[in-house]
Amino acid sequence: MPELTYLEAIAQTLRQEMERDERVFLIGQDIGAYGGAFKVTNGLQEAFGEWRVIDAPLSETAIVGGCTGAALMGMRPIAEMQFADFVSCGWDQIVTVAAKQHWRAGTPIPIVIRLPSGGGFAGGPFHSQNPESSFAHIPGLKLVCPATPSDAKGLLTSAIDDPNPVLFFEHKHLYRRVRGEVAESRFTVPIGTARIEREGNDATLVTWGAMLHLAVEAADALVEDGASIEIVDLRSILPWDRDAVLASVEKTSRLLVVHEDTRTAGFGAEILATVAAELFEHLDAPPRRLTAPDCPVPFAPSLERRFLPQVEDLVTALRELLAY
Amino acid sequence: MPELTYLEAIAQTLRQEMERDERVFLIGQDIGAYGGAFKVTNGLQEAFGEWRVIDAPLSETAIVGGCTGAALMGMRPIAEMQFADFVSCGWDQIVTVAAKQHWRAGTPIPIVIRLPSGGGFAGGPFHSQNPESSFAHIPGLKLVCPATPSDAKGLLTSAIDDPNPVLFFEHKHLYRRVRGEVAESRFTVPIGTARIEREGNDATLVTWGAMLHLAVEAADALVEDGASIEIVDLRSILPWDRDAVLASVEKTSRLLVVHEDTRTAGFGAEILATVAAELFEHLDAPPRRLTAPDCPVPFAPSLERRFLPQVEDLVTALRELLAY
Amino acid sequence: MEAATELGLDRIDLVGMYRNMLLSRSVEERGRTLFKQGKIPGSFYTGLGNEAAAAAVGTAMGPDDVGAVIHRNTGVHLARGTEPWKILAQFMGREDAPSRGRDGNVHFAEFDLGLITMVSHLPAMLPVATGCALAFRIRQEPRVAIGWFGDGSSARGDAHEAMNFAGTRQLPVVFVCNNNQYAYSTPTRLEYAVDHLAARALAYGFDGVVVDGTDLLAVYREARDAIEKAREGGGPTLIESVTLRLEGHGIHDDASYVPRELFEEYEDRDPIERFHRWLVEHAAFTDDEQRTIESEIKELLSEAVKRAEASPEPAPETLLDGVYAPHDVFETPHFS
Amino acid sequence: MEAATELGLDRIDLVGMYRNMLLSRSVEERGRTLFKQGKIPGSFYTGLGNEAAAAAVGTAMGPDDVGAVIHRNTGVHLARGTEPWKILAQFMGREDAPSRGRDGNVHFAEFDLGLITMVSHLPAMLPVATGCALAFRIRQEPRVAIGWFGDGSSARGDAHEAMNFAGTRQLPVVFVCNNNQYAYSTPTRLEYAVDHLAARALAYGFDGVVVDGTDLLAVYREARDAIEKAREGGGPTLIESVTLRLEGHGIHDDASYVPRELFEEYEDRDPIERFHRWLVEHAAFTDDEQRTIESEIKELLSEAVKRAEASPEPAPETLLDGVYAPHDVFETPHFS
Ligand SMILES: Cc1ncc(C[n+]2csc(CCOP(=O)(O)OP(=O)(O)O)c2C)c(N)n1
Ligand SMILES: Cc1ncc(C[n+]2csc(CCOP(=O)(O)OP(=O)(O)O)c2C)c(N)n1
Ligand SMILES: [Mg+2]
Ligand SMILES: [Mg+2]
C-alpha cells in the first residue's frame, strides 16, 4: 500500500469523493486557486471548477448555513474552516439549525465541516484550539478526530456518506508529520468505532487525535517498566465507542484519558463518568485524566510546552496509575 | 424578611444595583417600556431612562460585544437574552472575546449576561434549553444557576460586582412559582460556593436550578424509606464548589447528580469524573447521573414530561443508589 | 382585471388567493380559540395583517422553487398545499403534525411541498435559503429559493452574511422582508436607522424594492418579477413588504405599545378586506361566492379540528427517534 | 503646506507622521528578519502598504479616544505611543510584551494608550468598538471609538450588527475599513458585490466615504472629520481606505495570486515614498532630515531588538495567572 501523509490522505479522499459523486462540493476561504491555508485542497479547483470548489467570503455563518441549505437540496457539501477556532463563528448555525433539523423536521442534513485543529506550533489562542468538547454536548452532531492517515481517509469517506452533520477535526500538527499506509481505493471507517492501537493488560489509555502519537511513545517507555498499556484510539467523539472503552477497562481495571483540549467539562469527563458508573466494581485505581489546563492556548513556546500534555507527563501519569 | 418570588428578587436586585452604581446599565430586546419578555425589567426604563435601560435591536452579537466594549470603558453592563437559547447567537463574542480578554490582554471584562433558561411549559427546542454545559468548558467565564429567590439576589449582586464575564442562568420555571425570604438590603452570595440545602448521611444529591426543588421533594419521599439525603445546591457551575461536593460525598459515600440539561458531556460528567478520581476509596456505589436524554427539548407535553427529569425519576434513582 | 391579466392571473387564481387569505385568517382564529380552550400548549402566534404578502409570494413561487418560511406565513403553507388540519395538529403538538410534536406552533414546514422548517433563532434560515440557491446554481437548475425575514431580524448577522454571499455569486434567491413595523415591542427606528430595509440590497449588489404588503397584487407583481429574474440568472432581490402587525407579538401581548393612530391608519388597509373590495370592483366577485367560500372554509375547519384532535399525542417512547438520521434515510421513499 | 495647515497640522506633525510610517515599516522589516532568524515563533504579518492610513488615523484620534486595532495597524500603535521594543517583544512572545507571551504577533494593544487588543476572529472587535462608543454616549463624554476592519472581514455578521446598532443610536464610533483589495488570497469581487464598501453606510443610516489610503493627508482629513463629527453627536462614519496589500497575507504567502499589473500600479503609490515626495515638495523636507530620522530609527531599533531579546520567555508556572481577573483588579493602579 502507498504511504501517504495525513494531509495527503485527506486530499486524496476529497478528490476521490468528488470524482465519484457529483453532489460533493467544497466551500471555504481561500480553498480554490490558493489551495487552502494548509494546501489541503490544492489543485481541486483546477480539476473540478469554481462551482465545485467554492471560495467563500469571510463568512462562517454563510458557509455553514449555506451547506445546510445545499444539503437540503440534495448536495453533499464539505466546508473548510480555515482554522478550527473560527467555527465559533458558525456555532449557531451548527447547533441550532444543522444539529436539530432532522429530529425536528425529518430532513437529514448531510454536511461535513472540516476543522484544522490543535496546537504545537505557537499558533496562540486562536489558531490552536481543539473545540470538540463544546460540540460533544450537542445531540445530532457527529464528531470525528482521526489520528492516522488511514483513519483520516476512512473517516472522511464515512463523514461524506453520513446523512448527519459531521465535524471532521483534522489535526494540523499531523498534516505533514505523520505518514502511513493508506489503501488507494475507496474505503470507510465506521463513525463511532474505536481502534485498539495496541493491546495491553495493565492499564487502558484512551485518547484521540495528535495525542495518540504521544500515547504510543509513552506506552513504549512503559514497556521498560514491564508494563503493558492498552491504547484505545477513540477516533469518534460523538457517538463514542463506549463498548470498546468499557471492554478495555474491564480487562485492565485502570483508565487514563488523555486529551489536548482543556480539562473542565472536556470530553474526558464524559469518559470517566461513564467508566466510573459502569465499571465501579472493576476499577483497581481511580480513573484519571491528563489534559491541557483550563486556560486559552498560549503563544509563547515556553508556555505552550507547559500547556500541551507532553510524553513525560503521560509517562508519569501512567506510572502513578499503575502504582496505585 | 419580606417574601419575594424568584422574579421579584431579580428585579429588586437590578433596581438596587442601578440605584447604587451609575455604571450599571441594562441592554436587551424589549426590556424598556415593555419590561422584557418576562417583565423582569418592568418599570426600570421609566425609573432610569432610556440610556440605562436600552432596547437593543435583534442582535445578540452586538449586545454581547457592546457590553464588552462598554465594560472596557468602565461600565457595568447587564445584558438580557430574551431566552437563554438565543445566547448561541452571541457564542463567539462570549467565548472568543469576553472569556479570553483578561488572560490575553490583562483587561477585565465585568459583564453579566442574564439568561432566562429551562423548560417545563411547552416552550419547545428553542425556548427551553439550559445551555450552561457548553459554556462550562470555557475558561474565563463564570456561570451561576440560582435555585432560590435569595440566591438569585445574592448571586446577581456578586455577578455585577465580579470583574469577569458572568452568565446568570435564571430559570424561567421558577420566576413566579418559587417564593422565599429575601433580605431587603444589598447582600452577596459568593460565586463558586455551594449551599447545603439539607444535610443527610446516606447519599449526596448534587443539583442546581429548577431541579433543586424536585430534589427536595424526592428527598422528602426518601425520608419515608428511612433514608437521609444530603442535597448540595451547586449554585455556581464555573467555578464549581469541588470542596463542598467532595466533603459531602466523603461523608455519604454515594453520589447522584441531577441536571435538566442533556446528558452527554453535560456538567454532571465533570462532577462524576472529579468524584471518581478524588474519592475512589470512599465510594460505596457507582456515582450516577440523572439528566435529560440526548435530544433537543421537545414541545409536546407528553414528550417534554419524558424529557425532563421528574420527581419519580429522582426517587427511583436514589433508591437504586441506596440499594447498591 | 387588466392589472391581473397582465400578471398572468386569471379569475380562478385571484379567487384562489383571496380564499387563501380567508383560510389563513380562519386557521389562525381557530388556533386562537383552541389556545384559549387550553388545547394548544405553549404560546400562540398569528400572521394577522400579513395575509396578502404570504398568499402572494406563496402563489408566485414556481412548483420546484423552495422557501424558508417564518412565523406570520400561514398563507405560504396553504399556497403550497399544506392542509389546515396539519397546521392545527402542529399547534396542538400532535403526532401527525409536520413536526410530530417535537416542535411547536409556527416551527414547521412540509419539506415535500418545498418548504423548510424555521428555527426560532431569527433569521437563521436566510443562510440556509442562500444555500438552497447555491445548490440550484451549482446544478444549473432553473429553481429559486425564497428566504423570509422580519424587520427586526434584519439586524442580525445571519441576514448580512446570507445576502452578501448571495450577492457575490448572484444566486437565485429572493429575500422577502415581512416588515410589520415592530419586532415584538421594538419599533423599526430602534432596529435600523434607514427609511427602508430595501436599501440594504444596494450594499449587497442587487435590487431592493419596497411594496405595500397589504396590496395583494402589488406584492404578487414584485414577487413574480423577482423570482423570474432570479430564475433567469439575474441574481437576488430584496423585497420589503410593508404591513402592520395587527395585534400583539403573540397571544400574550396586548400591543399597547403600538400607537392607536397606527392601528387606525391600517384599519381600512386590512389586506383581506382590501382585496375583497378589489375583487368586487374588478372581478365582479359576488356575495354568493363569498358565502360559498366562507361555508366551505367553515366546514374545512371543523373537519380540521376533528382530525387534529384525533391525532394522538406523541408517544413518549419515540422521544429519541431521529436525533440521528439513519444510514438508509435517503433510500426510504419519504423522509420528512 | 496650505492643505496641511488647513487641517491644523504643522510641520512637526507632518514630519511626525512621516517618521511614524518609516518606523512602522522598519519595525516590521526588523520583525521579518527576526522571523527568518528563527527568533519569532509562529507566523508573521505586516502592514506593508497600509502605513499612511495607520499613521493618519492614529494621529487623528484625540487623546481620550479609543481604538480597536487590527493587524496591518503598526502605525496606530506607534502613534499612540507604543514603543518599538514592545512590539518586537510581542512578536517574540516575551514576558514584557503587551500580551506577555500569551498571545502572539499582531494580537496586542496597550490599553493604557487607548487601544484594545484584537482577537483573530475578524471583525469581532467591531461590536466591541460600538460598545465603547455606547459607554461614551451613556456618560455623555466627548470621546470617540474607532473600529478597524478589513475588506474581507466586512462580510461577517459582526460588522453588520456593530454598524447597524451604532446607526440606530447614532453612537460616536468611526468604522475604518483597511481595504487592501484582498482577504488572504480572496479578491474583493468574491467578498462583496459592490464597488465600494462605503456604500454599506447608507444601509445603516450614516455616511460612508472612500479615500485613497496611500495618500496620508487625504486619510487624515477624512479621519479627523469623521472623528470630530462623531464627537459632536453627528453619529458614525464608515471610512473605506483603499490601498493594496504590498506583499502576501503573511510571511508564508508569496501573493502569486495578485496580478503583477496590480502591484505595478501601486509601485509608485507606496504611501511612504508618496508622502516623502509631498514633504520635499511642500514642506522643504531635506535629505539631511531624512538621514537623521533614518539613523535615529536605526538606533531605536537596535535598542529595541536588544531590549526585546533581553525580556525573558514567560515562566511556565505563570500559565494560569489571570484566567480570571482577581476581585481587587480595579483597585490596583494598573491592570493591563
Ligand atoms: C436570535 C433571536 N433573538 C431573539 C428572538 C426572540 N424574538 C422572537 S420574535 C422577535 C421579534 C421578531 O421581529 P421581526 O423580525 O420583526 O418579526 P415579527 O415577529 O415582527 O414578524 C424576537 C426578538 C429570536 N427569535 N431570535
Ligand atoms: C472569522 C474568521 N475567519 C477566518 C479567519 C482567517 N483569516 C485571517 S486574516 C483573513 C483575511 C482577512 O482579510 P481582510 O479582512 O481583508 O484583512 P487583510 O488581512 O486583508 O488586511 C482570514 C480569512 C479569521 N481571522 N477570522
Ligand atoms: Mg416585525
Ligand atoms: Mg484585505
Side-chain angles (χ1 to χ4, degrees):
Chain A
M1 272 197 288
E3 276 226 336
L4 296 181
T5 63
Y6 185 89
L7 187 150
E8 286 162 352
I10 295 168
Q12 184 190 77
T13 312
L14 293 174
R15 185 181 289 269
Q16 284 183 349
E17 294 304 298
M18 291 183 77
E19 276 164 1
R20 180 175 175 273
D21 187 346
E22 274 215 321
R23 301 170 305 170
V24 176
F25 73 94
L26 312 183
I27 182 166
Q29 292 145 13
D30 308 294
I31 65 167
Y34 191 70
F38 297 96
K39 304 289 176 191
V40 177
T41 57
N42 220 5
L44 294 179
Q45 190 177 64
E46 221 178 318
F48 298 98
E50 71 161 336
W51 287 101
R52 298 232 7 238
V53 181
I54 301 174
D55 278 315
L58 210 163
S59 296
E60 282 74 10
T61 289
I63 291 170
V64 175
C67 286
T68 299
L72 281 167
M73 294 302 108
M75 302 297 286
R76 292 298 178 115
I78 305 178
E80 174 178 298
M81 298 285 108
Q82 196 154 80
F83 284 77
D85 310 68
F86 302 127
V87 75
S88 51
C89 301
W91 171 262
D92 181 56
Q93 279 290 332
I94 296 173
V95 309
T96 300
V97 186
K100 298 182 173 59
Q101 205 73 358
H102 184 260
W103 183 87
R104 289 172 60 244
T107 44
I109 309 291
I111 64 177
V112 178
I113 303 176
R114 292 182 36 241
L115 302 133
S117 50
F121 47 89
F126 304 120
H127 290 77
S128 309
Q129 292 173 88
N130 293 278
E132 66 265 18
S133 298
S134 294
F135 290 102
H137 184 55
I138 310 299
L141 300 180
K142 296 192 177 183
L143 316 179
V144 296
C145 300
T148 67
S150 183
D151 279 349
K153 177 165 182 174
L155 284 168
L156 182 52
T157 309
S158 289
I160 297 168
D161 274 353
D162 203 286
N164 296 286
V166 183
L167 273 55
F168 185 86
F169 295 88
E170 42 192 70
H171 202 291
K172 299 190 291 288
H173 210 48
L174 303 180
Y175 271 155
R176 293 179 167 84
R177 298 172 151 245
V178 172
R179 308 181 65 83
E181 295 195 334
V182 180
E184 177 98 43
S185 58
R186 182 179 209 265
F187 67 94
T188 59
V189 165
I191 295 175
T193 310
R195 186 177 60 85
I196 305 302
E197 161 74 27
R198 129 177 353 196
E199 300 206 358
N201 292 310
D202 300 327
T204 297
L205 192 164
V206 177
T207 193
W208 56 90
M211 288 292 124
L212 190 261
H213 303 279
L214 275 64
V216 169
E217 281 188 59
D220 282 347
L222 267 284
V223 170
E224 289 165 33
D225 299 17
S228 93
I229 308 297
E230 179 144 310
I231 301 179
V232 179
D233 177 3
L234 202 57
R235 303 199 290 196
S236 300
I237 304 298
L238 216 60
W240 65 285
D241 195 341
R242 295 169 92 245
D243 293 346
V245 171
L246 293 175
S248 176
V249 179
E250 197 173 332
K251 179 174 70 171
T252 66
S253 302
R254 286 180 156 82
L255 171 68
L256 176 69
V257 177
V258 178
H259 60 64
E260 190 180 318
D261 195 1
T262 56
R263 183 181 185 85
T264 298
F267 196 70
E270 179 62 33
I271 300 173
L272 261 69
T274 303
V275 166
E278 302 293 323
L279 294 179
F280 184 68
E281 309 275 358
H282 292 86
L283 287 172
D284 287 342
R288 286 276 159 80
R289 287 178 277 178
L290 178 64
T291 70
D294 286 326
C295 67
V297 188
F299 168 75
S302 61
L303 297 175
E304 196 182 19
R305 260 192 312 276
R306 175 74 153 231
F307 177 86
L308 293 174
Q310 305 288 324
V311 175
E312 310 84 79
D313 303 325
L314 270 69
V315 169
T316 308
L318 285 170
R319 291 213 172 110
E320 280 172 22
L321 186 67
L322 293 170
Y324 187 92
Chain B
M1 273 198 287
E3 276 225 338
L4 296 181
T5 63
Y6 185 89
L7 187 150
E8 287 162 350
I10 295 169
Q12 185 191 77
T13 312
L14 292 175
R15 185 181 288 268
Q16 285 183 350
E17 294 303 298
M18 292 184 76
E19 275 163 2
R20 182 175 173 272
D21 186 347
E22 273 214 323
R23 302 171 304 171
V24 176
F25 74 93
L26 313 183
I27 183 167
Q29 292 145 12
D30 308 295
I31 65 167
Y34 191 70
F38 297 97
K39 303 288 176 191
V40 177
T41 58
N42 220 6
L44 293 179
Q45 190 176 65
E46 221 177 319
F48 297 98
E50 70 161 338
W51 287 101
R52 288 198 58 209
V53 180
I54 301 175
D55 278 315
L58 209 164
S59 295
E60 283 74 11
T61 289
I63 291 170
V64 175
C67 287
T68 298
L72 281 167
M73 295 301 107
M75 301 297 285
R76 293 298 180 115
I78 305 178
E80 174 177 300
M81 298 285 108
Q82 196 152 83
F83 285 77
D85 310 69
F86 301 128
V87 76
S88 52
C89 301
W91 171 262
D92 181 57
Q93 280 290 330
I94 296 173
V95 310
T96 300
V97 186
K100 297 181 174 59
Q101 204 74 358
H102 184 262
W103 183 88
R104 289 172 59 244
T107 44
I109 309 291
I111 64 177
V112 178
I113 303 175
R114 292 181 37 240
L115 302 134
S117 50
F121 47 90
F126 303 120
H127 291 76
S128 308
Q129 292 174 88
N130 295 278
E132 67 264 17
S133 298
S134 295
F135 289 101
H137 184 55
I138 310 297
L141 299 179
K142 296 192 177 182
L143 316 179
V144 297
C145 300
T148 69
S150 183
D151 279 349
K153 178 165 183 176
L155 284 168
L156 183 52
T157 309
S158 290
I160 297 168
D161 275 354
D162 202 287
N164 297 286
V166 183
L167 272 57
F168 186 86
F169 294 88
E170 42 192 70
H171 202 291
K172 299 190 292 286
H173 211 50
L174 302 180
Y175 271 155
R176 294 179 166 83
R177 297 170 151 247
V178 172
R179 308 180 66 82
E181 294 195 337
V182 181
E184 177 100 41
S185 58
R186 183 180 208 264
F187 67 93
T188 60
V189 165
I191 295 175
T193 311
R195 188 177 60 85
I196 306 300
E197 161 74 27
R198 130 176 353 195
E199 299 205 0
N201 293 310
D202 300 326
T204 298
L205 191 164
V206 177
T207 192
W208 56 89
M211 289 291 125
L212 191 260
H213 304 278
L214 275 63
V216 170
E217 281 188 61
D220 283 347
L222 268 282
V223 171
E224 289 166 34
D225 298 18
S228 92
I229 309 296
E230 180 144 309
I231 300 179
V232 180
D233 177 3
L234 202 56
R235 303 199 290 197
S236 301
I237 303 299
L238 217 59
W240 65 286
D241 196 342
R242 294 171 92 245
D243 293 346
V245 171
L246 293 176
S248 176
V249 179
E250 197 172 334
K251 180 174 73 172
T252 64
S253 302
R254 286 181 157 79
L255 171 67
L256 176 69
V257 177
V258 177
H259 61 63
E260 189 180 318
D261 194 2
T262 55
R263 183 183 184 85
T264 298
F267 197 70
E270 179 63 34
I271 301 173
L272 261 68
T274 303
V275 167
E278 303 292 322
L279 295 179
F280 183 68
E281 308 275 356
H282 292 85
L283 288 172
D284 287 342
R288 286 274 161 80
R289 288 176 276 178
L290 178 63
T291 71
D294 287 324
C295 66
V297 189
F299 167 75
S302 61
L303 297 175
E304 195 182 20
R305 261 193 311 275
R306 174 74 152 231
F307 177 87
L308 293 174
Q310 306 287 325
V311 176
E312 310 85 78
D313 304 325
L314 271 70
V315 169
T316 307
L318 284 170
R319 291 213 171 110
E320 279 174 21
L321 186 66
L322 293 170
Y324 187 90
Chain C
M1 264 309 284
E2 234 169 277
T5 317
E6 210 180 278
L7 288 169
L9 296 168
D10 60 22
R11 196 170 185 280
I12 294 174
D13 299 325
L14 296 166
V15 175
M17 284 194 273
Y18 178 63
R19 184 178 174 284
N20 174 309
M21 293 199 286
L22 280 181
L23 182 55
S24 169
R25 189 165 290 180
S26 303
V27 167
E28 294 182 348
E29 269 166 14
R30 191 58 64 105
R32 190 193 316 277
T33 306
L34 291 166
F35 185 86
K36 290 191 173 150
Q37 292 171 340
K39 290 181 177 165
I40 289 180
S43 49
F44 187 70
Y45 306 88
T46 75
L48 219 76
N50 200 50
E51 291 88 350
V57 182
T59 307
M61 288 170 69
D64 294 330
D65 297 342
V66 299
V69 280
I70 54 169
H71 59 310
R72 329 272 183 223
N73 271 357
T74 303
V76 177
H77 295 282
L78 296 174
R80 298 296 297 188
T82 297
E83 296 174 62
W85 75 269
K86 286 202 184 172
I87 301 179
L88 296 179
Q90 168 69 21
F91 293 164
M92 296 163 77
R94 299 306 172 91
E95 176 59 35
D96 301 297
S99 82
R100 300 182 48 211
R102 273 107 192 280
D103 208 336
N105 52 63
V106 290
H107 299 108
F108 75 98
E110 294 199 277
F111 187 67
D112 292 350
L113 303 178
L115 298 180
I116 298 171
T117 305
M118 71 181 286
V119 297
S120 277
H121 298 54
L122 296 168
M125 301 311 282
L126 289 187
V128 177
T130 295
C132 295
L134 180 64
F136 302 154
R137 176 60 187 79
I138 293 172
R139 295 193 302 243
Q140 309 238 44
E141 291 170 356
R143 296 168 68 185
V144 178
I146 319 283
W148 277 270
F149 64 114
D151 46 285
S153 48
S154 72
R156 263 224 325 124
D158 286 36
H160 173 70
E161 296 200 14
M163 290 187 200
N164 184 63
F165 180 43
T168 62
R169 297 281 175 170
Q170 293 294 303
L171 299 177
V173 53
V174 177
F175 300 104
V176 180
C177 178
N178 291 336
N179 188 339
N180 57 14
Q181 306 189 47
Y182 283 86
Y184 208 149
S185 76
T186 308
T188 48
R189 74 179 164 79
L190 293 176
E191 299 162 8
Y192 52 82
V194 285
D195 290 335
H196 279 292
L197 283 170
R200 293 253 178 93
L202 304 177
Y204 299 127
F206 49 82
D207 290 333
V209 293
V210 183
V211 63
D212 178 348
T214 69
D215 179 345
L216 184 126
L217 290 181
V219 179
Y220 183 86
R221 173 178 295 111
E222 296 302 342
R224 192 207 52 170
D225 288 356
I227 290 170
E228 291 321 314
K229 181 181 165 192
R231 199 186 308 289
E232 280 153 25
T237 304
L238 167 47
I239 300 175
E240 178 183 357
S241 154
V242 182
T243 61
L244 179 68
R245 198 189 63 205
L246 294 177
E247 57 184 352
H249 173 64
I251 199 163
H252 57 283
D253 169 14
D254 66 7
S256 53
Y257 48 82
V258 179
R260 181 176 298 271
E261 308 81 62
L262 196 52
F263 277 133
E264 277 161 12
E265 187 192 323
Y266 271 79
E267 220 155 60
D268 61 346
R269 285 172 66 192
D270 180 297
I272 301 184
E273 285 166 26
R274 193 170 169 179
F275 193 57
H276 182 251
R277 287 197 297 272
W278 189 94
L279 277 180
V280 170
E281 211 171 302
H282 298 93
F285 189 70
T286 66
D287 285 356
D288 252 19
E289 283 178 291
Q290 173 76 12
R291 272 189 298 272
T292 310
I293 294 178
E294 274 172 12
S295 72
E296 198 188 286
I297 285 178
K298 207 172 157 193
E299 195 165 330
L300 190 57
L301 276 174
S302 48
E303 273 310 304
V305 173
K306 270 187 223 143
R307 196 155 168 198
E309 287 193 314
S311 175
E313 290 191 51
E317 51 291 1
T318 63
L319 176 59
L320 290 171
D321 297 353
V323 171
Y324 291 96
H327 262 277
D328 61 355
V329 67
F330 290 109
E331 279 118 59
T332 57
H334 171 83
F335 56 85
S336 79
Chain D
M1 268 305 286
E2 233 170 279
T5 317
E6 211 180 278
L7 289 169
L9 296 167
D10 60 22
R11 196 171 185 280
I12 295 174
D13 299 326
L14 296 167
V15 175
M17 283 194 273
Y18 177 62
R19 183 178 174 284
N20 175 309
M21 292 199 286
L22 281 179
L23 182 54
S24 169
R25 190 165 291 181
S26 303
V27 168
E28 295 183 346
E29 270 167 12
R30 191 59 63 106
R32 189 194 316 279
T33 307
L34 290 166
F35 184 86
K36 289 192 173 150
Q37 292 171 340
K39 290 180 178 165
I40 289 180
S43 47
F44 187 69
Y45 305 88
T46 75
L48 219 75
N50 200 49
E51 291 87 351
V57 182
T59 306
M61 288 170 69
D64 294 329
D65 296 342
V66 297
V69 280
I70 53 168
H71 59 309
R72 328 270 182 226
N73 271 356
T74 303
V76 176
H77 295 282
L78 296 174
R80 299 295 298 187
T82 297
E83 296 174 62
W85 75 268
K86 286 202 184 169
I87 302 179
L88 295 180
Q90 169 69 23
F91 292 165
M92 295 162 76
R94 298 306 172 92
E95 176 59 35
D96 300 297
S99 82
R100 299 180 51 212
R102 272 105 192 282
D103 208 336
N105 52 64
V106 291
H107 299 109
F108 75 99
E110 293 199 277
F111 187 67
D112 291 352
L113 303 178
L115 298 180
I116 298 171
T117 304
M118 71 182 285
V119 297
S120 278
H121 298 52
L122 296 167
M125 301 311 282
L126 289 186
V128 177
T130 295
C132 295
L134 179 64
F136 303 154
R137 177 61 188 79
I138 293 173
R139 295 193 302 243
Q140 308 238 41
E141 291 169 357
R143 296 168 69 186
V144 177
I146 319 284
W148 277 271
F149 65 113
D151 44 285
S153 48
S154 72
R156 264 227 319 128
D158 286 35
H160 173 71
E161 295 200 15
M163 292 188 198
N164 184 62
F165 180 43
T168 61
R169 297 282 175 169
Q170 292 293 300
L171 299 177
V173 54
V174 176
F175 299 104
V176 180
C177 178
N178 290 337
N179 188 340
N180 58 13
Q181 305 189 48
Y182 282 86
Y184 209 149
S185 76
T186 310
T188 48
R189 73 178 165 78
L190 293 178
E191 300 162 8
Y192 51 81
V194 286
D195 290 335
H196 280 292
L197 283 170
R200 293 253 178 95
L202 304 177
Y204 299 127
F206 48 84
D207 290 333
V209 292
V210 184
V211 64
D212 178 349
T214 69
D215 180 344
L216 183 127
L217 290 180
V219 179
Y220 183 87
R221 172 179 294 111
E222 296 302 342
R224 193 206 52 170
D225 288 357
I227 290 170
E228 291 321 315
K229 182 180 165 196
R231 198 184 309 291
E232 281 153 24
T237 303
L238 167 48
I239 299 176
E240 178 183 356
S241 154
V242 182
T243 60
L244 179 67
R245 199 188 64 206
L246 294 179
E247 56 184 352
H249 172 64
I251 199 163
H252 57 282
D253 169 15
D254 66 7
S256 54
Y257 47 83
V258 179
R260 182 176 298 271
E261 308 81 63
L262 196 52
F263 277 133
E264 276 160 13
E265 188 191 322
Y266 271 78
E267 220 156 60
D268 60 346
R269 285 172 67 193
D270 180 296
I272 302 185
E273 286 166 26
R274 193 171 169 179
F275 193 57
H276 182 252
R277 287 196 298 271
W278 189 93
L279 277 179
V280 170
E281 210 171 304
H282 297 93
F285 189 70
T286 66
D287 285 356
D288 253 17
E289 284 178 290
Q290 173 76 15
R291 271 188 299 272
T292 311
I293 295 178
E294 276 173 10
S295 71
E296 199 188 286
I297 285 179
K298 208 174 157 193
E299 194 164 330
L300 191 57
L301 277 174
S302 47
E303 273 311 304
V305 172
K306 272 186 222 143
R307 198 157 167 196
E309 287 193 315
S311 175
E313 289 191 50
E317 47 298 356
T318 62
L319 176 61
L320 289 172
D321 296 354
V323 171
Y324 292 95
H327 261 279
D328 60 356
V329 67
F330 290 109
E331 279 117 59
T332 58
H334 171 82
F335 55 85
S336 81

